[in-house]
């Protein structure tokens, strides 16, 4: 029996993260403050520890992973690389399909890869508490776990409607010692004002971010942590791609194409950045971000400066955006409902180093169910976007009658998303296109920036 | 960095199951039919395929695992053996604690180990459909997955109250293609009668078994599959202990004591039976089944012939029992709420080869939370019973100031049990003792058997 699951020993957990910035054809544009000028490190010191701020703009290609972070990662890493042979057989494709499985982490996704690093650096800096926001709960779970491992208290502002609808994600955070607060809350100025306007407010991710940042900025012992979008988060996620490269080498293979779901960009950065140097050196490899057709940031958005949050509290980042006030429809891949994208991913897409494609909701669930029935693992709806793209690629290879090596990230399991599968089986899901009018409206909403 | 997680390659999936019967000091007593005489193979043919019937009474020590079953197991096996170093550190114990993690299977527990074997043998025998019952949903999920892998339709009679309260387990079964029917149902005579008596019946495991067996017995293309208790199920689970022995050898260690949660006995058989031969050869090893104080089958029950189900439809088995009409209290470790126990486990406990201990509900959740906060994985409440016992053993080792090697099965994750953790944190859980009066009542309820 040949091995379809390739494990690495813990000693093979990467010793360094790969920083893509030195290898980018165009360096990323600076973050801008409210005055339109690049913000300095000082502006970030109120909410981030020095090591994170340094990583955000570092020009070092390799950044050492502290040993306590590697030891924390070792609870679940290296993550397996799996040859999806049963899926290949079901598709009757000559393609070889591999997936890097990140759902085996305690929190069930790739998110803890950055959470443990951020918790470590904050603890090192003498910080006692972290705040963050969470929607569906993946990131809040991950930071609760990480805080527990490094002795930090963690307060999570959870979008009120999710707090009510996803009680089990909340329980998970509490099991790891996190304090979960429905947002808007009476603990912050932003929350109190929102509750005054609407005592029955169901909250939003933008509001939860405002609360978490406000609390972190106003307390010396407290910092803020973000689960995607920012450069340091993508940096921490590169352990995914670094491991996958080693594992594919063991399998004697190399991908023709790599897929990852794309919301804020942490999956894309995580698996794809380590392959970029090969591509720059002339290797023929396609790197494809997969996003929902209803929230098609890369494939339809403007490349422009915009705010990272919905109310304009964050610095402005140059990125593909559907407009910071765009409210994505209520699709079940909550992690992909983001109006913008990582500045790094955006720049690389703009420079045609990365590609992007969008897929519809129903087709992603079809792919998720086929994957469940062949490979066993029930994927998170976010992950099913990459599966859909991989299946389509494998079917195209069959059509063309040629071999092809496909790699994708299975970023998380769907154990907390079963109600979405219910709705799929009940025929209640809808496909949704992004309306062209919305794009024109988005242009209007973009902040005015010189140059 | 030394490895705390020990993986084996897929080629090391056992090639044979270990059948404990030839190594038992006393052979297991035969199953008895309604007339008080041992039942023959013929009585089982209506619901089981020949290979399963043969395994139920085989005297062969090693039974080959068919290659398609090994390939199915390879989706998630070999399962990792993990050194729980962070738990050891939190306890400040000189003990070395290892756990065999079975929660990485697609269904999230050890149950698929037997499900894929049973599905395979039924498909080989030309059977097209399987029926089964499920309470909390672990076994129904596992059989749905296994049916999908071997091309069998699976109908699961799910206890009506669970069907309503555990919609996500139901969705999981449907995602793998299983048909889930709330029991009692209009599809069987037993169900129809129950609904006539009480149209609002919430069902019971006993009723669901009756429905599943009735349908299987009345249709030539349909068989029945059970997830614990029977000899062949425990046989299939021995892959757990066989792998664990190899992995401990790699770690250069050997257990002084092994713990597993005990309901019907499939965990106990799975991890402990492969260590029995060593014990028979004089090795100093303790094998300890851990059960809930509120359902203390081994530690408090009668050793006598009793029915396997609650209404007396099954053959009588000689086992430790609290009486087939005992209704265990509504503790959250649903998989341990069984009035009886495997005949093999019972005989071995009676012969003092296996030990048993009982633990209280609140203490198991305390242990589950400590484990979550140190090792990350949130355990199923059933598994937390073994964790509690392992922690107590490690604390005793600390007290005595001596090294000790502890092994336990972490039989499943708790992703579908978060409401139980909620209740624990809310202080709503209760400890419950088994009342002595109940034991006297149980004796009255036992079927009268000669000898």
């Amino acid at each position: 029996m040949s091995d379809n699951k390739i494990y690495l020993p813990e000693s093979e957990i990467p010793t360094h993260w790969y920083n893509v910035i030195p290898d980018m054809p165009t360096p990323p544009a600076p973050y801008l403050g409210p005055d339109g000028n690049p913000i300095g490190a000082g502006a970030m010191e109120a909410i981030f520890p020095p090591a994170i701020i340094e990583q955000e703009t570092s020009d070092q290609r390799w950044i050492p992973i502290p040993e306590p972070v590697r030891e924390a990662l070792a609870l679940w890493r290296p993550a397996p690389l799996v040859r999806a042979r049963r899926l290949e057989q079901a598709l009757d494709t000559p393609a070889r399909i591999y997936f890097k499985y990140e759902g085996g982490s305690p929190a069930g996704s790739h998110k803890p890869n950055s959470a443990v690093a951020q918790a470590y650096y904050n603890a090192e800096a003498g910080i006692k508490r972290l705040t963050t926001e969470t929607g569906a709960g993946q990131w809040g779970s991950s930071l609760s776990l990480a805080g527990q491992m490094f002795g930090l208290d963690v307060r999570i502002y959870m979008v009120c409607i999710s707090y009510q609808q996803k009680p089990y994600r909340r329980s998970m955070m509490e099991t790891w010692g996190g304090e979960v607060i429905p947002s808007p809350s009476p603990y912050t100025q932003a929350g109190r004002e929102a509750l005054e306007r609407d005592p029955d407010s169901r909250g939003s991710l933008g509001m939860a971010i405002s609360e978490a940042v406000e609390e972190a900025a106003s307390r010396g012992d407290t910092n803020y942590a973000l689960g995607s979008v920012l450069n340091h988060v993508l940096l921490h996620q590169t352990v995914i791609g670094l491991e996958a490269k080693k594992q594919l080498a063991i399998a004697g293979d190399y991908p023709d194409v790599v897929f990852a779901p794309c919301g804020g960009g942490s999956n894309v950065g995580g698996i794809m950045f380590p392959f970029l140097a090969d591509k720059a050196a002339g290797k023929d490899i396609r790197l494809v971000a997969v996003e929902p057709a209803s929230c098609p940031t890369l494939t339809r958005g403007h490349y422009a400066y915009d705010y990272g949050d919905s109310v304009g509290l964050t610095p402005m980042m140059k990125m593909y955006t559907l407009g910071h006030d765009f409210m994505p429809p209520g699709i079940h891949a909550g992690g992909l409902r983001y109006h913008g994208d990582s500045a790094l991913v955006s720049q690389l897409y703009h420079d045609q180093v990365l590609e992007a494609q969008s897929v519809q909701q129903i087709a992603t669930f079809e792919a998720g169910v086929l994957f469940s029935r062949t490979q066993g693992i029930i994927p998170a709806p976010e992950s099913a976007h990459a599966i859909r793209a991989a299946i389509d690629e494998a079917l195209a290879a069959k059509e063309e009658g040629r071999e092809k090596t496909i790699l994708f990230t299975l970023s998380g399991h769907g154990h907390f998303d079963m109600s979405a599968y219910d709705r799929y089986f009940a025929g209640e899901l809808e496909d949704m296109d992004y309306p062209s009018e919305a794009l024109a409206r988005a242009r209007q909403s973009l902040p005015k920036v010189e140059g």
Side-chain angles (χ1 to χ4, degrees), chain A:
Chain A
M1 195 184 299
S2 72
D3 276 28
N4 290 322
K5 306 187 298 299
I6 299 169
Y7 286 98
L8 296 171
E10 291 169 29
S11 54
E12 297 274 357
I13 292 171
T15 55
H16 292 72
W17 290 299
Y18 168 69
N19 177 19
V20 75
I21 293 178
D23 290 325
M24 289 172 73
T26 315
Y31 299 159
L32 303 183
D35 59 0
N37 292 317
I39 59 163
M44 301 172 85
E45 279 167 11
I47 58 169
F48 292 122
I52 292 287
I53 296 170
E54 196 185 319
Q55 289 177 1
E56 193 61 22
T57 54
S58 171
D59 58 3
Q60 300 298 304
R61 185 171 282 109
W62 295 101
I63 296 178
I65 306 180
E67 207 51 26
V69 174
R70 291 184 75 228
E71 282 167 18
L73 291 172
L75 268 191
W76 69 93
R77 301 204 76 82
L81 180 81
V82 185
R83 171 90 182 263
R85 277 196 199 264
R86 287 176 182 262
L87 176 61
E88 292 171 15
Q89 284 158 9
L91 298 173
D92 189 24
T93 176
R96 290 182 297 280
I97 307 176
Y98 298 87
F99 63 92
K100 179 74 172 169
Y101 186 48
E102 293 290 325
S105 78
S109 79
H110 68 300
K111 293 282 182 189
N113 295 333
S114 181
V116 293
Q118 294 191 51
Y120 168 78
Y121 287 121
N122 276 290
E124 280 294 286
I127 290 295
K128 304 294 179 207
R129 294 174 75 247
L130 290 175
T131 60
T132 196
E133 72 288 335
T134 205
Q138 280 283 12
W139 172 245
S141 306
S142 303
L143 198 69
S144 289
L145 170 68
Q148 180 65 232
M149 295 177 79
F150 290 101
L152 296 170
D153 290 335
V154 176
R155 174 180 278 185
I156 302 113
Y157 290 94
M158 186 172 191
V159 178
C160 186
I161 179 81
S162 298
Y163 183 90
Q164 290 161 353
Q165 290 180 345
K166 298 226 168 190
Y168 299 145
R169 271 284 171 197
R170 175 178 53 68
S171 320
M172 205 172 189
M173 294 184 244
E174 289 172 351
T175 301
W176 285 318
E179 181 193 14
V180 188
I181 308 279
S183 166
S185 82
Y187 295 104
T188 65
Q189 185 65 25
R192 284 187 294 271
E193 286 172 7
L195 287 172
E196 247 169 57
R197 284 193 301 274
D198 176 10
D200 298 322
S201 167
R202 306 199 303 171
S204 69
L205 205 55
M207 173 53 59
I209 293 176
S210 302
E211 291 205 275
V213 171
E214 180 188 321
E215 181 179 337
S218 66
R219 288 187 56 159
D221 66 346
T222 302
N223 267 349
Y224 169 72
L226 190 68
S228 191
V229 181
L230 297 181
N231 301 355
H232 66 272
V233 182
L234 276 63
L235 175 77
H236 301 156
Q237 293 293 355
T238 57
V239 292
I240 301 173
L242 293 168
E243 289 177 6
K245 281 183 83 167
K246 284 189 197 172
Q247 290 163 314
L248 278 165
I250 290 171
D253 218 331
Y254 191 88
D256 294 295
V257 55
V258 183
F259 296 104
C262 191
S266 71
N267 264 305
V268 167
I271 194 144
M272 294 184 194
F273 286 178
F275 288 97
L276 274 183
D278 297 354
K279 190 177 170 80
K283 194 91 181 175
D284 188 19
I285 178 173
R286 294 174 54 213
L287 305 168
V288 187
V290 188
E291 56 186 19
S294 58
C295 189
T297 316
L298 293 172
T299 51
R300 305 277 305 278
H302 300 289
Y303 189 45
Y305 268 103
D306 200 358
Y307 299 110
D309 66 330
S310 55
V311 291
L313 289 176
T314 70
M316 290 177 280
M317 293 179 282
K318 192 167 182 194
M319 61 180 176
Y320 282 85
T321 176
L322 300 169
H324 60 275
D325 57 1
F326 174 61
M327 184 60 72
I331 58 166
H332 282 282
L336 308 185
R337 294 177 65 230
Y338 184 57
H339 70 277
D341 210 322
S342 144
L344 298 180
V345 169
S346 294
Q347 183 69 57
L348 288 162
Y349 176 67
H350 187 69
D351 290 339
Q352 300 185 317
V353 178
L354 302 180
E355 300 171 46
Q357 63 184 59
S358 70
V359 293
Q360 284 285 7
Q361 179 161 250
I362 293 174
T364 63
F365 276 87
E366 272 171 16
V369 170
L370 176 60
F371 189 83
S372 304
R373 292 184 179 180
T374 50
Q375 296 296 133
I377 300 166
I378 299 176
E382 291 84 352
S383 313
H385 283 68
I387 297 173
R388 176 75 261 169
I391 287 175
D392 289 344
E393 190 77 19
L395 290 174
K398 177 183 176 181
E399 201 69 25
E400 299 164 29
R402 70 186 195 87
E403 289 194 13
K404 184 175 278 188
T405 301
I406 300 169
L407 168 66
F408 69 90
T409 316
L410 183 49
S411 52
H413 62 63
H415 298 173
F416 295 89
D417 302 288
M418 295 313 302
S419 64
Y421 280 89
D422 266 359
R423 294 197 61 208
Y424 168 71
F425 286 117
E428 292 169 11
L429 291 189
E430 287 177 2
D431 281 346
M432 277 169 288
D433 281 312
Y434 178 79
S436 299
E437 317 84 76
L439 204 62
R441 211 161 48 235
R443 184 170 290 287
Q444 305 275 324
S445 80
L446 295 176
K448 305 291 169 269
V449 173
E450 301 287 319

